[in-house]
Amino acid sequence: MSETGGVREVKSAARTVELLELLAARGDRPARLQELADELEVPRSSMYALLQTLISRGWVRTDVTGSLYGIGIHALLTGTSYLDSDPRVRLVRPYLDEASQALGETIHMARLDGRDVAYLATRESHEYLRTISRVGRRLPAHVGALGKALLAERPDGELPEGPYRALTPNTRTSRQALAADLAGVRARGWSIDREEGVLGIVGFGFALRYDTPAQDAISCSVPVARLSAGHEERIVAVMRETRAKIESRAPGGGGGSVHWRS
């Protein structure tokens, strides 16, 4: 049994968290009882009892037949509370609005979470029909502008061994290729994702250095069809200015009275 900070892990609590994370990761693909039991390697009867408990409390939902399971509404309520209570998210939101209005493009804020980034805020462009909010979604750090901006704030020795998962033909899947890209990020001061995470989309990422190493980043996402050399220069200029404004307003790590461990 694993331990954290010298405290023995509570097996039932760990199993509950693993189940919720599994359901959340499946998105719009509901799971059957046996699938969940097999994935988490627990007896079917134990999984059924756990699911019924979580259904009664709103953390899991089921269909009318009672045979399919998905994440429940209380997960949303808890996630919303996290966003509302985080001083850095509150700080950054107005500047995302400002940058989106200035550029007419989609602006994101995300936080590094292990080997992924988790999207915390998004301001969608009204210039093209791609208005699906990413808040709460995750993306491998190696494939996007947000993740690469944050990985570049860390030594290459922390990069996991490859090969990495490819989301498009342009994804850098080797440790060597990613390290070379991150060297470029450090040299210029921001990251570029040229259709590495999503085909047809280019991203520009900027780490927010109010923590050391940076945990948060902002980015601008642009359809390839809308990206010219002049527009790219303006995006970089506006996003650099936006980063400077945010960092100047966040002395001591975001200005909140409580400083949470990531």
Side-chain angles (χ1 to χ4, degrees):
M1 187 175 295
S2 63
E3 295 187 2
T4 303
V7 178
R8 188 177 296 273
E9 182 178 80
V10 178
K11 187 175 182 179
S12 59
R15 180 175 294 172
T16 301
V17 172
E18 289 169 357
L19 172 59
L20 293 173
E21 289 179 342
L22 176 57
L23 290 173
R26 292 179 64 92
D28 61 354
R29 297 180 297 111
R32 296 187 180 276
L33 172 62
Q34 193 61 55
E35 290 180 275
L36 297 172
D38 291 344
E39 181 71 22
L40 297 183
E41 299 181 342
V42 300
R44 181 185 173 96
S45 59
S46 298
M47 178 57 67
Y48 181 78
L50 178 55
L51 285 166
Q52 295 308 306
T53 299
L54 293 173
I55 288 169
S56 70
R57 294 176 178 269
W59 284 91
V60 171
R61 58 181 172 174
T62 188
D63 71 332
V64 294
T65 69
S67 61
L68 295 174
Y69 301 93
I71 198 72
I73 194 170
H74 278 211
L76 170 64
L77 300 177
T78 300
T80 301
S81 176
Y82 176 89
L83 295 174
D84 291 343
S85 66
D86 189 281
R88 292 168 176 79
V89 176
R90 292 201 307 269
L91 170 70
V92 170
R93 277 172 173 160
Y95 296 103
L96 300 187
D97 292 330
E98 186 178 293
S100 183
Q101 291 170 6
L103 294 170
E105 305 295 354
T106 298
I107 312 296
H108 301 292
M109 175 192 183
R111 180 164 295 161
L112 192 65
D113 182 23
R115 296 184 181 181
D116 298 336
V117 290
Y119 285 76
L120 302 181
T122 293
R123 297 296 180 265
E124 296 283 358
S125 168
H126 299 294
E127 299 294 330
Y128 59 101
L129 298 177
R130 191 183 179 87
T131 56
I132 300 175
S133 175
R134 282 186 175 270
V135 174
R137 297 177 182 265
R138 298 167 68 88
L139 193 69
H142 69 276
V143 303
L146 288 159
K148 292 196 297 181
L150 292 168
L151 291 178
E153 297 291 305
R154 291 155 172 79
D156 288 343
E158 295 184 11
L159 294 175
E161 295 296 330
Y164 308 140
R165 181 162 64 102
L167 297 190
T168 77
N170 300 320
T171 303
R172 289 172 171 81
T173 58
S174 74
R175 194 174 189 271
Q176 182 179 10
L178 180 59
D181 189 24
L182 296 181
V185 175
R186 297 181 189 108
R188 82 174 73 91
W190 65 90
S191 65
I192 303 175
D193 156 24
R194 297 194 186 277
E195 301 184 82
E196 295 166 42
V198 180
L199 288 175
I201 299 294
V202 177
F204 301 85
F206 298 76
L208 298 174
R209 296 168 179 143
Y210 42 55
D211 290 311
T212 304
Q215 300 295 321
D216 299 340
I218 56 174
S219 74
C220 177
S221 296
V222 192
V224 172
R226 285 173 48 80
L227 188 62
S228 64
H231 193 32
E232 182 169 329
E233 290 178 4
R234 174 156 171 74
I235 288 169
V236 170
V238 169
M239 294 301 291
R240 289 179 69 180
E241 181 181 2
T242 300
R243 171 169 64 182
K245 288 179 180 178
I246 293 170
E247 291 176 346
S248 71
R249 291 288 307 276
S257 58
V258 178
H259 301 294
W260 302 102
R261 289 191 300 175
S262 298

